[in-house]
Amino acid sequence: MKNVTDDINIVSERFGADRVIVENVIYRSYEGNMLKPIIDPNIITQIIEETKCGLLLDTAHAQMTCRYLNKDVFDYVSQLPLQNLKELHITGIQHDGNRYRDSMPMTRADWELAEWALENVHNGIWSAPWAVSFEYGGVGPAFEWRTESHVLAEQVPRLQRLVNRK
């Protein structure tokens, strides 16, 4: 905790805590390079409370973490410090036979999570983020193979309608 909060405080002192956000990461397994405590909602909350920074909720990261740990994603996300939500990343996840990948086309489960998250924002249950990002596909060899214009043409307007709902 001390190392994490010290690192965040260095950035916060330079740019201001209101300009710093902490993103929830993916936990894949004990064999991975991510320490399990960093995905614990209580630890994330403590970090944000101590540093006074904001939360970047990545729904795909939450879903993948929960699938690897056999947890309910709605329950997991509900435990995060959503009163500090500053940015929301939404994208699909899919299993490629070896592991889950994000930046994929949205599936029914992905849309259900996105709709629920944005409903919580619109109803004032969560803070309104300054940005909602659709993280589908990308550029370069790591992402271009999963970037199709027909997916963007279908899914971007659907997400825009959810974000702009009054």
Side-chain angles (χ1 to χ4, degrees), residues 9-163:
N9 286 331
I10 289 170
V11 176
S12 294
E13 287 170 14
R14 171 124 165 94
F15 298 103
D18 60 321
R19 296 177 141 195
V20 177
I21 54 178
V22 176
E23 182 172 8
N24 61 302
V25 295
I26 305 164
Y27 179 79
R28 297 183 197 277
S29 70
Y30 290 107
E31 292 82 34
N33 63 357
M34 195 61 58
L35 297 175
K36 193 172 181 184
I38 201 63
I39 56 97
D40 183 319
N42 295 318
I43 299 292
I44 295 169
T45 299
Q46 187 177 350
I47 289 168
I48 288 175
E49 286 176 354
E50 286 187 23
T51 62
K52 309 285 189 262
C53 64
L55 173 67
L56 186 166
L57 173 60
D58 188 309
T59 59
H61 291 179
Q63 280 190 92
M64 293 187 327
T65 294
C66 289
R67 290 198 182 175
Y68 286 116
L69 296 175
N70 198 28
K71 293 182 178 267
D72 178 77
V73 69
F74 296 95
D75 181 55
Y76 175 78
V77 169
S78 293
Q79 295 176 53
L80 295 172
L82 298 159
Q83 70 280 5
N84 299 92
L85 183 64
K86 301 293 185 199
E87 192 167 325
L88 180 60
H89 290 184
I90 295 173
T91 190
I93 68 167
Q94 293 180 18
H95 201 275
D96 68 4
N98 294 315
R99 66 183 186 130
Y100 286 102
R101 293 189 180 272
D102 58 358
S103 301
M104 302 298 287
M106 299 277 284
T107 65
R108 183 182 55 76
D110 302 318
W111 283 114
E112 287 175 4
L113 184 57
E115 290 166 359
W116 174 75
L118 289 165
E119 188 69 24
N120 283 320
V121 169
H122 290 302
N123 289 336
I125 298 167
W126 300 359
S127 294
W130 75 272
V132 177
S133 300
F134 185 51
E135 292 193 313
Y136 167 71
V139 296
F143 294 99
E144 62 191 10
W145 64 271
R146 54 184 156 183
T147 306
E148 298 183 35
S149 59
H150 72 90
V151 172
L152 291 166
E154 173 197 325
Q155 295 190 349
V156 169
R158 182 175 176 182
L159 182 58
Q160 183 180 19
R161 285 190 300 274
L162 290 174
V163 170

